[in-house]
Amino acid sequence: MRNILNLHFYRKNCILLFVFVCTSLFSQINYNFTSTTGTYNSLTTYTTLHSTNVDDAISASTNIGFTFYYGCQAYTTFQASTNGVMFLGTSGAFSNAFNDLTSSTDRPAIAPLWDDLKTSGGGRVCYNMTGTAPNRVLTVEWFQMLWDYSATTWGISFQVKLYETSNRIEFIYQRNGNATQYLVSADASIGISGPTSGDFYSLGDVSASPTVSKITETSTLSSKPATNQIYRWDPITCSGTPSGYALSITIPSNTCTAYTATLNVSGTGGCGIQYTFQSGPSASGPWTTFAISNNSSTTFNVTGLTYFRTIVTCTISGGGQ
């Protein structure tokens, strides 16, 4: 099903510009969160990213082993920090000792327990892939971690699991001691962040039914999730006729000559949304397609009176869904 956005117009100095559509440069991450329990199984076969007694380190860019779709975008590599966070599609991320889902420049981030951690004398950060295509699972494990770096006894182990095809993300935990035992200066974040600043989900606590916010990051978590606790993130996919989209356009100031306009459409229809951008000489067309994309933004070189429209379609084929 498809939807054509309502007609709007803008007058920019000497050029009259009519617009039917647009979207933002990157779609926001859009996930369903659930909390459940399972069984924590430490990796027995693995590749080590960080060995024992390592503080504030980031791994090299490492292959996921399959194409993983996150926020409707395809990723094939990750980097893991000793500080309880991993980054998708990056090759130059920092170790990020200070947790910041909201505005960190290293994004997108997957943060099962983001704080100033360190591998213990028996600890490590490692990974392994299991299963066969199209149902493979990448497991990244922070095994026997000190919380924080100055602790003398490890406090917690935890894993991130990335699932092929479903693109599900899971966090699972194993405590050492009680909820606060072997913690020194605990002020963590748990959640996920998108590719742009301000786009995130943050857990407000570590209970069996935690609150989840896209508005406020909780960066002061000071107790351990229970052993076998699972926090799960499932991507939302579009369905039916797209709705709830709004128009915006960016054009240069003080110009009466040709210029490049940026067309943007905002909305959260989930993965599978496709945008067909069209231009024409009048409000009734004829329409010429100049861009078809899963991105909600595009540009157009305006040289005179131009009308635009965008057809928003739910394909259920984009974003790996």
Side-chain angles (χ1 to χ4, degrees):
M1 303 293 289
R2 68 179 190 171
N3 186 25
I4 301 176
L5 302 188
N6 293 332
L7 176 66
H8 294 263
F9 69 90
Y10 292 81
R11 183 186 298 272
K12 188 62 182 176
N13 294 333
C14 303
I15 298 177
L16 182 64
L17 187 66
F18 285 88
V19 182
F20 262 107
V21 181
C22 50
T23 123
S24 55
L25 189 58
F26 294 98
S27 299
Q28 287 194 330
I29 57 173
N30 200 11
Y31 282 80
N32 283 322
F33 172 80
T34 55
S35 178
T36 186
T37 58
T39 301
Y40 188 98
N41 295 305
S42 295
L43 295 179
T44 55
T45 301
Y46 53 82
T47 299
T48 300
L49 297 170
H50 304 293
S51 59
T52 61
N53 297 310
V54 175
D55 186 27
D56 290 341
I58 187 75
S59 72
S61 184
T62 303
N63 288 332
I64 293 172
F66 51 85
T67 300
F68 183 76
Y69 288 87
Y70 179 80
C72 309
Q73 303 297 313
Y75 295 93
T76 57
T77 61
F78 73 95
Q79 288 181 267
S81 169
T82 54
N83 293 313
V85 60
M86 60 188 288
F87 305 98
L88 296 178
T90 53
S91 59
F94 296 99
S95 62
N96 288 268
F98 300 101
N99 42 306
D100 182 6
L101 289 169
T102 308
S103 57
S104 172
T105 56
D106 287 333
R107 331 177 56 91
I110 297 175
L113 190 73
W114 191 354
D115 204 353
D116 193 358
L117 311 181
K118 180 181 177 180
T119 60
S120 69
R124 61 182 175 267
V125 181
C126 56
Y127 73 97
N128 188 34
M129 188 177 69
T130 55
T132 57
N135 298 304
R136 292 168 288 190
V137 180
L138 173 74
T139 301
V140 182
E141 181 172 39
W142 289 257
F143 179 71
Q144 296 188 359
M145 301 299 294
L146 302 179
W147 191 4
D148 67 7
Y149 68 94
S150 61
T152 57
T153 303
W154 74 272
I156 191 167
S157 296
F158 50 93
Q159 298 174 341
V160 169
K161 294 181 179 290
L162 304 183
Y163 289 80
E164 186 180 20
T165 303
S166 70
N167 300 298
R168 168 177 286 177
I169 303 168
E170 285 185 342
F171 303 162
I172 185 168
Y173 302 87
Q174 182 184 63
R175 288 180 184 173
N176 186 26
N178 61 37
T180 57
Q181 192 174 9
Y182 309 129
L183 304 189
V184 177
S185 179
D187 53 357
S189 298
I190 296 177
I192 58 177
S193 72
T196 56
S197 182
D199 184 18
F200 65 91
Y201 286 88
S202 176
L203 297 196
D205 57 83
V206 296
S207 67
S209 300
T211 59
V212 183
S213 177
K214 285 183 68 71
I215 306 300
T216 302
E217 177 187 3
T218 299
S219 58
T220 56
L221 297 175
S222 58
S223 60
K224 309 168 194 173
T227 294
N228 298 325
Q229 178 66 56
I230 295 175
Y231 297 137
R232 178 177 293 160
W233 312 87
D234 287 304
I236 295 173
T237 58
C238 66
S239 62
T241 302
S243 61
Y245 287 83
L247 169 68
S248 66
I249 186 169
T250 302
I251 54 181
S253 61
N254 302 320
T255 181
C256 290
T257 60
Y259 59 85
T260 299
T262 300
L263 284 72
N264 294 294
V265 178
S266 60
T268 54
C271 294
I273 291 291
Q274 178 178 275
Y275 305 92
T276 301
F277 294 91
Q278 298 180 330
S279 64
S282 71
S284 58
W287 299 107
T288 300
T289 297
F290 62 89
I292 299 176
S293 177
N294 292 326
N295 279 341
S296 56
S297 179
T298 192
T299 59
F300 187 88
N301 187 31
V302 178
T303 58
L305 179 63
T306 307
Y307 292 74
F308 295 98
R309 73 176 187 179
T310 299
I311 302 170
V312 183
T313 308
C314 178
T315 65
I316 313 296
S317 61
Q321 303 302 317

